[in-house]
Amino acid sequence: EGGGVRVGSSGQGGGGDPPGGSGQVLIEYDVDGSQEWVEAANLRPEPPPIASELPWLSRLAKGELAELWYEGGWWEVILQARAGSKFQVLAARYNKIHSATAAELRPWWQRDEAGAWCYTLQRKTRTAEQWRAALLASQSRSRMNDRVCGINGCTIVNVGGKQHPGLCRPPDISGAKRPREP
């Protein structure tokens, strides 16, 4: 589904010998069945699918790179804006703006020095496993911050670790009565 092409080498698919000699492969496009010889060095393996539980699009910031599925292939684009469930992206090489849905976008995958697939969000580059671990840690911190106050028997939940202002007072050790609050 993702690639949009079939790759073969000379002797496969009846394409004959490559016009530029060895080092070329014959690709066939799924969209229209056309074929062309390309340098193998210009192709890259298909990156891994993005895990559905990773909310990468919600973390994608304006100006960051993504890939758009367009005319049978993935194209590098830059996020320009969001409008509800639509994303406005710019294919900078062609100076063309597209409106895309979440299903038409994926992270801008690149390989690190060790050959692992990674992508960048909010200026941080990580592998999918590292993003998953960061998301789980973030969710865990969020759950830990949502605690019952407990001061003077207060049962109000402090959401996100923020205290609720003015509802709990330290115990009055002087014995004097406090005035009632209005």
Side-chain angles (χ1 to χ4, degrees):
E1 167 93 0
V5 298
R6 282 186 287 284
V7 179
S9 59
S10 60
Q12 291 182 339
D17 291 325
S22 63
Q24 291 193 332
V25 293
L26 179 66
I27 61 171
E28 180 178 332
Y29 296 93
D30 289 344
V31 174
D32 61 3
S34 64
Q35 296 180 341
E36 81 177 296
W37 288 98
V38 296
E39 291 292 326
N42 291 336
L43 299 175
R44 70 174 189 170
E46 187 171 350
I50 187 71
S52 61
E53 75 272 9
L54 295 179
W56 74 274
L57 269 173
S58 66
R59 295 181 178 206
L60 187 66
K62 182 178 177 182
E64 288 190 317
L65 293 170
E67 292 182 346
L68 168 69
W69 180 255
Y70 180 72
E71 292 187 349
W74 291 102
W75 300 86
E76 182 181 301
V77 294
I78 302 168
L79 178 64
Q80 298 292 297
R82 300 170 192 253
S85 63
K86 290 285 192 175
F87 299 85
Q88 185 179 40
V89 295
L90 168 68
R93 287 184 183 173
Y94 307 101
N95 198 28
K96 178 121 169 93
I97 293 177
H98 298 272
S99 177
T101 64
E104 295 170 314
L105 294 172
R106 73 177 184 189
W108 179 65
W109 291 100
Q110 63 266 6
R111 305 290 286 269
D112 65 12
E113 295 82 26
W117 286 105
C118 53
Y119 59 94
T120 303
L121 293 173
Q122 299 172 341
R123 296 186 176 92
K124 295 178 185 166
T125 302
R126 298 176 175 159
T127 66
E129 285 304 315
Q130 290 168 331
W131 279 115
R132 181 177 288 109
L135 174 67
L136 291 174
S138 170
Q139 288 173 342
S140 177
R141 279 192 304 274
S142 176
R143 282 192 301 272
M144 288 173 45
N145 287 336
D146 295 346
R147 299 276 189 223
V148 172
C149 173
I151 297 175
N152 296 331
C154 178
T155 58
I156 294 177
V157 174
N158 290 325
V159 177
K162 297 179 182 163
Q163 294 183 358
H164 50 277
L167 298 176
C168 301
R169 296 181 179 218
D172 185 356
I173 55 172
S174 71
K177 290 195 172 215
R178 288 191 225 182
R180 293 184 71 208
E181 295 196 21

